[in-house]
Amino acid sequence: MKRASGVALFVVMTFLLTAAASVADPPKQEVAPAPNGIRIPEGYKNWRLLSSSHRTDNNTLRVVLGNDVAIEAAKSGKTNPWPDGSILAKLVWKDSQHEKWPAATVPGKFVHAEFMIKDAKMYAVTGGWGFARWLGTEQQPYGKDAAFVQECYACHIPVKQDDYVYTHPSVLP
Amino acid sequence: MKRASGVALFVVMTFLLTAAASVADPPKQEVAPAPNGIRIPEGYKNWRLLSSSHRTDNNTLRVVLGNDVAIEAAKSGKTNPWPDGSILAKLVWKDSQHEKWPAATVPGKFVHAEFMIKDAKMYAVTGGWGFARWLGTEQQPYGKDAAFVQECYACHIPVKQDDYVYTHPSVLP
């Protein structure tokens, strides 16, 4: 009888602990790495604001967030070059029209999240930046093979004088 | 002699402690409260992203950030009504054109930061929201007297069915 209650207690405790663990750590959906091996930066949706933009050539709204290194660099105006460890995250949505304010373009379908990761040595062949992009809410990695970064890099060459970055940190009080 | 060194030690310690406090807490530039008594929410520039927009009627780019209560409400889709304690911060810039990408509208001059603070009881006469706005990088409070909120509220009545909020949290992965 005593052993039986001991076993029962063990079973109940195991169940409770397992249940508690499930609540604390919901199974994460694994995001596949980009073809160049870059993994999607954790927690980027919680990063702080660097800037935003609206592109009328492809009808998208963009918000640029930065990790702590990037935000501190922006605050102190030391972004040319951006320091190693800076990561810029650009979140892109298709244009949509606000249903109650037609003159307001608002974020519609989520297009992709793309990143620039600064490491002057590791990414020396692409201006010191590692590039990666994940498509849609499914976060499918962009690019057939590691050479996809040439496309990213080529597009950023016109702003070589700004350390290959189009984003200017927006003015804040 | 003993008393004299005691006094000297006290003076030195006081000086050191004062100096340490000055380093830890640099004098903050005090932002005047809004005419309805609302004080500018601390640390709002570090809040997380809710959405963005581009208004072509007044040529401004906007980014909407939320405090923790608002972000959690958005994540769980419980924004109608938004829970008490939610604060939405809208940061507004005049349109500017990117010098190397003419089809990109980017943030120019900072126009203002405006806030909606949810407290269903305290702000019952204006839909459960406290409104406040600070102009420019100088953060001058907007409004001649407390009645300025009628202007804010009137503009939000068309979205009464969305708890008086125009912003829809943007879709994220």
Side-chain angles (χ1 to χ4, degrees):
Chain A
M1 186 62 183
K2 216 170 183 180
R3 177 171 293 177
S5 8
V7 169
L9 183 66
F10 176 77
V11 169
V12 168
M13 287 297 287
T14 305
F15 172 79
L16 288 176
L17 285 170
T18 311
S22 309
V23 169
D25 302 307
K28 275 188 190 171
Q29 210 183 342
E30 196 66 37
V31 175
N36 54 353
I38 291 179
R39 298 200 150 267
I40 196 161
E42 209 160 325
Y44 70 88
K45 287 174 275 183
N46 300 329
W47 290 355
R48 285 177 279 169
L49 179 70
L50 274 175
S51 193
S52 70
S53 69
H54 183 208
R55 270 181 60 183
T56 52
D57 49 348
N58 63 6
N59 305 314
T60 55
L61 275 171
R62 288 122 184 281
V63 172
V64 184
L65 306 178
N67 69 350
D68 288 345
V69 177
I71 293 291
E72 293 314 315
K75 279 186 181 173
S76 56
K78 294 179 178 168
T79 59
N80 202 355
W82 290 77
D84 274 8
S86 299
I87 309 182
L88 313 182
K90 188 176 269 175
L91 313 181
V92 181
W93 295 265
K94 268 287 171 194
D95 282 1
S96 182
Q97 189 182 40
H98 197 288
E99 75 280 7
K100 294 278 184 184
W101 200 288
T105 301
V106 293
K109 193 182 171 195
F110 184 76
V111 179
H112 63 239
E114 56 191 20
F115 299 85
M116 290 178 71
I117 301 171
K118 184 69 186 274
D119 186 322
K121 277 187 188 170
M122 189 184 297
Y123 304 117
V125 292
T126 47
W129 292 96
F131 293 89
R133 174 190 282 173
W134 283 266
L135 307 176
T137 50
E138 312 80 19
Q139 302 194 107
Q140 285 299 312
Y142 176 81
K144 287 196 176 157
D145 55 42
F148 83 92
V149 296
Q150 289 308 325
E151 184 192 335
C152 313
Y153 178 55
C155 201
H156 283 259
I157 288 178
V159 286
K160 182 180 177 182
Q161 81 284 359
D162 291 323
D163 197 24
Y164 300 93
V165 174
Y166 281 98
T167 300
H168 303 300
S170 57
V171 176
L172 280 168
Chain B
M1 183 66 184
K2 215 169 186 180
R3 178 172 290 176
S5 5
V7 169
L9 184 67
F10 175 78
V11 169
V12 168
M13 287 296 287
T14 306
F15 171 79
L16 287 176
L17 285 169
T18 310
S22 310
V23 169
D25 304 306
K28 277 187 189 172
Q29 210 184 342
E30 196 67 37
V31 175
N36 55 353
I38 292 180
R39 296 200 152 269
I40 197 160
E42 209 160 326
Y44 71 88
K45 286 174 276 183
N46 299 329
W47 290 356
R48 286 177 277 168
L49 179 70
L50 275 174
S51 193
S52 69
S53 69
H54 182 207
R55 271 181 60 182
T56 52
D57 50 348
N58 63 7
N59 306 314
T60 54
L61 275 171
R62 286 123 184 279
V63 171
V64 184
L65 306 178
N67 70 348
D68 288 346
V69 177
I71 293 291
E72 293 313 316
K75 279 187 182 173
S76 55
K78 293 178 178 167
T79 59
N80 204 355
W82 289 77
D84 274 8
S86 298
I87 310 182
L88 313 182
K90 188 176 269 176
L91 312 182
V92 180
W93 296 264
K94 269 287 172 194
D95 283 1
S96 182
Q97 189 181 39
H98 197 287
E99 75 281 8
K100 293 279 184 181
W101 199 288
T105 301
V106 294
K109 194 184 172 194
F110 184 76
V111 179
H112 63 238
E114 55 191 20
F115 298 85
M116 290 178 71
I117 301 170
K118 185 68 187 274
D119 187 321
K121 278 188 187 168
M122 189 184 297
Y123 304 117
V125 293
T126 46
W129 291 97
F131 294 88
R133 174 190 282 172
W134 283 267
L135 306 177
T137 50
E138 312 80 19
Q139 303 195 105
Q140 285 298 312
Y142 177 81
K144 286 197 177 157
D145 55 43
F148 82 92
V149 296
Q150 290 307 325
E151 183 194 336
C152 313
Y153 178 56
C155 201
H156 283 259
I157 287 178
V159 287
K160 183 181 177 180
Q161 79 285 357
D162 291 324
D163 197 24
Y164 300 93
V165 174
Y166 281 98
T167 300
H168 303 300
S170 57
V171 176
L172 281 169

